[in-house]
Amino acid sequence: MSRGIFQRLVGIVIAVTVGGAAALLWFGIASTGNSAVESRAEGIVLGVWSVLYDSVAPQPRVILTAIAFALLLSAGVALLERRIANRSRRSANPRTPLAPKIVMAETRGMYAGPVTVTVLIPAHNEEASLPATIASLLTQSHRPERVIVVADNCTDATAALAREAGVEVFESVNNTKKKAGALNQALKWLLPGQGDNDVVMVMDADTSLDDGFLEVAVSRMTNDRALMAVGGLFYGEEGHGIVGQFQRNEYIRYSREIGRRRGRVFVLTGTASLFRPRALRTVAQSRGESIPGIQGDVYDTASLTEDNELTIALKSLGGLMISPMQCTVVTELMPNFCTLWAQRLRWQRGALENLGAYGATPQTLRYWAQQFGIGYGVIALSAYLLLILLMVLSLDNWVWFPFWLGIGIVFSIERVVTVWKGGWRARLLAVTLFPELFFDMFLNVIYVKGIIDISLDRQAIWKHLNHSPFGEPSKAQ
């Protein structure tokens, strides 16, 4: 089956699987419902539709069965993921040339010199944010040896500001492949001169490193020669009102989840990640053979989410990577729902296309499970909000259901605890509960849109957020 056809089928496969699972669960719960007719009541919605509802909690065995099933499923995915990761680390298969066992054997007794850092900053008209990005690099406790701004089709003062700051500038030539194309040009120029310990860091021009990032990353690379990449954990910048707070809460929860996974990477974020030259060279050599893409390119220019695709590529080749909790960055947030929609639709569409390109493999198992989980969550949250709405519209008098009230309290506590380190604004937004639920629904609509678009083979559009000289964001394609 060709790559294009399978990519289109990804959306259909996810939709059918998730829908079938939800229907099966609904049928299972309905078949175990209470037979006590007196527990059921009828309400009229807006004087038109009749609604039957149950005024008692589900049977204990139904609750326990649902909890047990959820725990078994999550534990099964986690155990399978760990088993796959352990097998990959011990692999001596030539198709996984970056596996730790192979790397350790090939580098035993060799010293490639101290770890040095060369930073590539891809930038398209980033004169507003670039100075702060460069300053965050030059004030690190472990300063990078080289900083290179990759100026891509810039029409502003990006290149001039970089030179004034005392860093190098690489200007792309006739690049039509966006960020990935510019980085490919820079890496083809840079990689031949890099030694095995001369790591390459790629970071966005709208991101600032927290102090200590490079010191921790270099220490990890120095102490583990099998480590192929170190990723950063990102937090949102201040500002942008409630839209910004939604994103900050989301990023805090993501970083917390990575911490609980002990740094095991979901995505080597494009905001800031370090790579050994061996890893990048191996990816370029493997393109078009064992992994998708054009041979010689580090980044797949056909992917909408180049950082996610590169992560899957490295995992498919056996690469070991980590995102330490100390490696944190502050990154740009989308200023309004319009730009946020464009960003997240690109992320979602890119994730689906990457799954279609790589197919169902042990290395993509976690990503498939994540997409199925999101899809199931879309159905669950939509049903929850719909049922609440129906209840509000159908009842003459409000009825408190202790069981569901208890579930809501537990859920609210979880939401607050997971953003606690974000301060009082993060906690206040979390404890109110419903604003974040509606934000989740906003993201769910984007998920559904991505599924529909890829299934119908609609053209995806890459959008870039520019900044005016006055600091106001403007969206550009």
Side-chain angles (χ1 to χ4, degrees), residues 110-116 197-198:
M110 298 173 57
Y111 178 62
V115 172
T116 67
N197 275 348
D198 299 325

Side-chain angles (χ1 to χ4, degrees), residues 116-198:
T116 67
V117 179
T118 297
V119 181
L120 295 181
I121 308 175
H124 172 69
N125 292 343
E126 298 284 2
E127 63 178 13
S129 57
L130 185 62
T133 300
I134 294 174
S136 76
L137 284 166
L138 301 183
T139 56
Q140 287 284 300
S141 55
H142 182 109
R143 287 186 54 165
E145 279 65 27
R146 295 177 72 184
V147 177
I148 305 170
V149 172
V150 182
D152 180 41
N153 297 321
C154 293
T155 57
D156 65 357
T158 293
L161 287 174
R163 292 188 178 98
E164 288 177 11
V167 303
E168 301 175 54
V169 175
F170 175 93
E171 298 193 54
S172 63
V173 179
N174 300 323
N175 175 44
T176 60
K177 300 296 184 181
K178 304 295 182 181
K179 175 181 174 181
L183 283 171
N184 282 337
Q185 288 189 15
L187 288 167
K188 286 178 182 177
W189 162 75
L190 177 68
L191 283 178
Q194 298 293 103
D196 287 345
N197 275 348
D198 299 325

Side-chain angles (χ1 to χ4, degrees), residues 239-248 337 429 435 439:
H240 307 308
I242 193 169
V243 177
Q245 194 61 58
F246 281 138
Q247 295 170 78
R248 282 190 290 275
F337 281 109
L429 182 61
F439 177 68

Side-chain angles (χ1 to χ4, degrees), residues 10 71 107 111 116 124 142 247 249 280 290 309 318 345 350 413 424 427 460 462:
V10 166
L71 290 175
T107 58
Y111 178 62
T116 67
H124 172 69
H142 182 109
Q247 295 170 78
N249 281 16
L280 300 179
S290 56
E309 194 282 334
L345 186 57
I413 292 173
W424 69 268
R427 300 167 200 163
W462 199 100

